[in-house]
Amino acid sequence: MRALIATGTGRYADPWHPYTKTSPLIADVLREAGFDVEIDEDVDGAMTRLEGVDLLVVNAGDPWRSETTEPLPGASVDGLHAALERGIGVIAVHAALSSLRDYPDWPGAIGGMWVPGISWHPPLDRVRIAGDALPDGTRIDDFDVEDERYTRLQAFGERMVVARHETEGESQPTAWVRTHGASRVAVDALGHDERSWASDGHRALFAQLARWVTSRD
């Protein structure tokens, strides 16, 4: 199985998330799960190179915060659309909930979005994640992780929440899965920096999500 990680550089970089450090850690998780992995530091270019890729992981930030005003290549939009149409597996990691804002398919595909001024998170701290189960019945174990707790994310369409956390006494989704046409899609709202990927429980969750979105059973 081939996996491609589109990582945040250029207009997809930001001062808060060390994408070039976390993407290799994501790649390690995927290799341990049996994937052949490539990291692509050109996010828009990656969308034109998805032919033959089984899993697309987006670990990138909000392009609207960048001063870059270059137009989005039409081939990039078409490339993502074609990949979703044929049934590529997708995982959106953490800030990817605010990424690919110029791609019409992206918000509907992942089923959620960070809304500036409404969505928020408390300071990064140690968080207890309550696991549930994937649609195939695979159990996700509870675990602890040092990370941010994304809160008040905008949801789109139907989704199945498979992990949760609490913020100010309110249960919030940490990870969810859904289908988008022929594609299976997962969102992992964890993954702020290297500390997140030091958690065995988070690594296990991510591997489970990767296997589910690329399964055709």
Side-chain angles (χ1 to χ4, degrees), residues 75-185:
S76 300
V77 174
D78 293 343
L80 177 61
H81 180 78
L84 292 170
E85 286 286 298
R86 69 170 168 82
I88 193 172
V90 176
I91 304 180
V93 180
H94 196 60
L97 283 154
S98 63
S99 196
L100 301 188
R101 291 192 185 272
D102 301 310
Y103 287 78
D105 288 313
W106 185 246
I110 65 173
M113 178 179 285
W114 175 279
V115 181
I118 297 176
S119 304
W120 66 284
H121 62 76
L124 187 150
D125 59 5
R126 194 158 187 82
V127 182
R128 183 65 173 175
I129 305 299
D132 203 323
L134 290 167
D136 61 7
T138 301
R139 178 69 196 179
I140 295 172
D141 293 332
D142 298 353
F143 62 93
D144 294 323
V145 61
E146 287 189 72
D147 217 319
E148 291 176 337
R149 288 173 284 168
Y150 276 8
T151 302
R152 297 197 71 189
L153 299 168
Q154 175 65 58
F156 300 103
E158 295 183 2
R159 61 183 183 175
M160 181 176 183
V161 176
V162 297
R164 294 182 175 275
H165 63 270
E166 282 196 5
T167 300
E168 297 184 347
E170 184 178 353
S171 178
Q172 299 285 336
T174 306
W176 65 81
V177 298
R178 66 194 310 272
T179 57
H180 180 78
S183 291
R184 288 185 174 188
V185 181

Side-chain angles (χ1 to χ4, degrees), residues 2 4 45-56 76 79-81 83-84 86 88:
R2 288 185 58 203
L4 187 149
M47 301 305 153
T48 70
R49 296 187 282 270
L50 296 177
E51 186 67 33
V53 173
D54 302 290
L55 171 63
L56 168 65
S76 300
L80 177 61
H81 180 78
L84 292 170
R86 69 170 168 82
I88 193 172

Side-chain angles (χ1 to χ4, degrees), residues 19-31:
Y19 302 111
T20 57
K21 294 181 179 179
T22 54
S23 285
L25 299 176
I26 296 171
D28 289 343
V29 175
L30 292 175
R31 290 189 183 105

